[in-house]
Amino acid sequence: TNVNLGLRTPSVVYTTPPACREMSRLHLLLLLATAVALGSTVGIKQVSAAALDDDYPKARRWDGALVPLIGIGVGNLPQSQMDTVVAHALTTDSGYRLIDTGASNEVVLAEAIEKALDDVTEDDTLSIHVVTKVWYTHLGYERTKLAVRQSLANLKSMASGQYVRVHVLLHWPRCDDNISWMDCEGEEERLPQDVKDAGPPPHLDSENAWKGSWKALEEMYNEDDLRRIESIGVSNFDHIDMEMLLEEFEITPHIIQSHVWSLLYDPYLMGMVRDSKVIFQAYGVMNGIVQRGGVAPNAHRLIEDIGKDLANAKSDGNSGKEQEPFSVARVVLALLGGPGGFVTSRAQ
């Protein structure tokens, strides 16, 4: 079976028996990407707030703008923990400047940023990048505009809002009752009346509602003279939806967010992402790979072997001396820190 990995320089076609195809793709992707990334992003240096703009690793969008390479995810964080987590992320040498959230936590996140920045600086150049999302109940042109206006009000109404750069993604392309935790009709019934009045239920037109949403995001981004919206993007889109978006609309997404396994096992999606120069934001990184080695033990062993090989290759050449292997976490972060990708780690 020929597996085209979409690598252009050099061009690679990796030939394996069918049973080994997925494992070989994982091994090759990790080996190539970590070999490139090691030495630049693996040893992510911790920096103070004052030095962040110059020293902290960043990802470059297709339009040239820079976004912090590593962020922290608080979308599912209990609200009682928000102040402590955000204060630690922003005011210590951890130096986080990107926070990933969802609509349900926007207000409490804004309050936590406000409290944390009281102890940081009044430097006008400070930027806190917040990635938030439009939930699938708010898909459709008018519902999405309503959701985005509310998100901007939630995140930028306080004094610290001048430091917040808001990135808006469509959280899902649709509600899907085949996903066990989604409840399309039930969630629609529980919506506030103003949301229902804004537009038709998106689950009744599941193949097209997100298109109205993307049109709304394009308009709001283009008409935003104050640049309250830093970028627009999508989350959990598969290669079919992504291809449709790229073909039918004016603005290429700045960001696509997906589970880390998409990077390894969805070559069609990742090929489109690379060709369109869209930033790939991975979630489920440590939990999905590092902390769940038992789910895919062979893959986990391969990553450990790669860590050993790369540690030896990067050693000072002392013969016969066993080098301390790079950890699985370090190898995975090196992969994600390569060109066109960045990562958010869940706060808890």
Side-chain angles (χ1 to χ4, degrees):
T1 302
N2 290 330
V3 183
N4 190 340
L5 298 175
L7 301 172
R8 291 171 291 184
T9 309
S11 178
V12 175
V13 175
Y14 197 47
T15 304
T16 66
C20 302
R21 181 178 63 187
E22 297 302 333
M23 188 61 62
S24 299
R25 180 185 296 137
L26 169 64
H27 196 171
L28 185 61
L29 274 171
L30 282 169
L31 191 58
L32 291 174
T34 49
V36 171
L38 278 168
S40 60
T41 59
V42 172
I44 299 296
K45 64 188 292 187
Q46 295 184 332
V47 296
S48 65
L52 177 74
D53 284 345
D54 293 330
D55 294 339
Y56 198 72
K58 302 175 182 70
R60 187 176 297 277
R61 295 177 357 197
W62 58 258
D63 60 355
L66 296 173
V67 183
L69 180 65
I70 297 177
I72 188 166
V74 300
N76 295 313
L77 185 71
Q79 295 187 355
S80 61
Q81 299 177 22
M82 190 71 74
D83 286 353
T84 302
V85 168
V86 171
H88 183 270
L90 297 183
T91 62
T92 69
D93 281 349
S94 300
Y96 285 105
R97 287 299 181 267
L98 183 139
I99 302 174
D100 179 79
T101 190
S104 62
N105 263 352
E106 287 171 347
V107 173
V108 69
L109 172 59
E111 292 171 350
I113 292 173
E114 181 87 1
K115 294 173 186 175
L117 292 190
D118 282 344
D119 301 323
V120 181
T121 181
E122 293 182 359
D123 182 359
D124 290 339
T125 65
L126 179 66
S127 292
I128 310 298
H129 293 255
V130 174
V131 179
T132 191
K133 305 171 196 75
V134 176
W135 193 239
Y136 53 71
T137 53
H138 288 62
L139 292 175
Y141 181 81
E142 292 294 348
R143 287 195 183 193
T144 291
K145 284 203 166 186
L146 183 68
V148 174
R149 285 194 291 266
Q150 186 61 58
S151 291
L152 292 173
N154 291 342
L155 293 167
K156 295 184 72 69
S157 59
M158 298 186 179
S160 59
Q162 64 181 308
Y163 303 117
V164 174
R165 307 289 179 261
V166 180
H167 306 257
V168 182
L169 314 184
L170 302 182
H171 207 148
W172 291 85
R174 61 189 56 84
C175 181
D176 184 352
D177 277 326
N178 292 318
I179 297 176
S180 61
W181 54 264
M182 289 187 176
D183 178 15
C184 303
E185 291 189 6
E187 289 184 70
E188 177 67 26
E189 283 298 316
R190 293 188 290 271
L191 287 175
Q193 192 60 44
D194 64 324
V195 178
K196 295 179 181 179
D197 292 342
H203 70 282
L204 299 181
D205 187 16
S206 61
E207 295 306 311
N208 295 297
W210 69 262
K211 297 180 182 180
S213 293
W214 190 253
K215 181 180 178 183
L217 289 186
E218 285 188 329
E219 288 183 6
M220 297 184 82
Y221 180 77
N222 282 332
E223 296 168 1
D224 185 18
D225 294 335
L226 298 177
R227 265 295 169 255
R228 295 182 305 158
I229 301 174
E230 184 74 12
S231 74
I232 57 177
V234 297
S235 177
N236 299 305
F237 272 48
D238 62 22
H239 69 276
I240 297 173
D241 292 323
M242 190 67 175
E243 183 176 35
M244 210 173 301
L245 192 160
L246 293 172
E247 289 178 352
E248 296 183 16
F249 291 91
E250 173 193 349
I251 298 180
T252 298
H254 301 103
I255 297 168
I256 179 170
Q257 185 182 97
S258 191
H259 194 278
V260 67
W261 284 102
S262 295
L263 183 67
L264 305 175
Y265 294 123
D266 194 342
Y268 304 108
L269 176 64
M270 295 313 302
M272 277 184 273
V273 167
R274 280 191 299 270
D275 291 344
S276 302
K277 297 182 173 61
V278 179
I279 289 178
F280 178 83
Q281 182 187 35
Y283 68 83
V285 178
M286 293 303 158
N287 182 53
I289 294 181
V290 179
Q291 296 173 356
R292 300 182 67 195
V295 175
N298 293 334
H300 198 268
R301 231 176 355 258
L302 270 175
I303 301 174
E304 290 178 327
D305 290 343
I306 291 168
K308 294 175 185 176
D309 292 343
L310 290 171
N312 288 327
K314 206 169 173 61
S315 71
D316 57 9
N318 292 336
S319 59
K321 185 177 180 181
E322 184 75 17
Q323 299 298 314
E324 173 113 15
F326 293 151
S327 68
V328 169
R330 190 176 181 186
V331 173
V332 170
L333 285 175
L335 167 65
L336 293 166
F342 67 111
V343 57
T344 59
S345 56
R346 180 172 289 187
Q348 75 258 51

